[in-house]
Amino acid sequence: VEAFVQPGTYMENFEKSLQLKVSMIDLNLDDDVSELMQTVITRTGNIDACVMLAGGFAMSNFTNTDYELMQRMFHLNFFTAYNLVSNLAQKMMNQPNG
């Protein structure tokens, strides 16, 4: 089982599991995600599932939401998912299961 966590994440709970391989990565950096996904695919051979838990929100109403906040939310919620899916979709569609 692979887990990708944001750099600076408190790691004590992750380090307790011997079945969990943890990699620190900024999921907004497409080249870094692509490189790590290729490493994982080479190591594991098959990707059975991808559970995407990255994301967040900022409390604000529409009239107080500026462009910068919308950009941050878009990066946090869309690009993190896009960078993973764009690197895994073809592999998962071509494999016999998962």
Side-chain angles (χ1 to χ4, degrees):
V1 175
E2 305 273 339
F4 310 125
V5 298
Q6 185 74 13
T9 299
Y10 181 68
M11 296 296 295
E12 183 177 304
N13 292 330
F14 289 108
E15 293 167 352
K16 292 177 183 175
S17 173
L18 298 176
Q19 298 178 358
L20 183 64
K21 168 100 175 81
V22 179
S23 299
M24 292 221 178
I25 187 168
D26 182 343
L27 295 175
N28 280 296
L29 303 176
D30 183 48
D31 290 340
D32 292 359
V33 174
S34 181
E35 184 178 320
L36 182 58
M37 290 294 85
Q38 288 308 309
T39 300
V40 169
I41 289 168
T42 299
R43 184 172 53 246
T44 63
N46 228 27
I47 304 294
D48 295 322
C50 179
V51 178
M52 297 180 287
L53 302 174
F57 73 98
M59 188 63 73
S60 181
N61 62 34
F62 186 76
T63 58
N64 292 333
T65 301
D66 61 11
Y67 184 78
E68 182 182 321
L69 178 60
M70 287 304 299
Q71 276 191 309
R72 283 199 327 260
M73 292 300 101
F74 201 72
H75 278 271
L76 184 61
N77 293 291
F78 177 77
F79 282 119
T80 56
Y82 175 81
N83 289 339
L84 285 169
V85 171
S86 67
N87 284 284
L88 293 177
Q90 195 61 48
K91 167 64 178 158
M92 291 180 80
M93 288 188 294
N94 290 335
Q95 64 191 28
N97 56 27

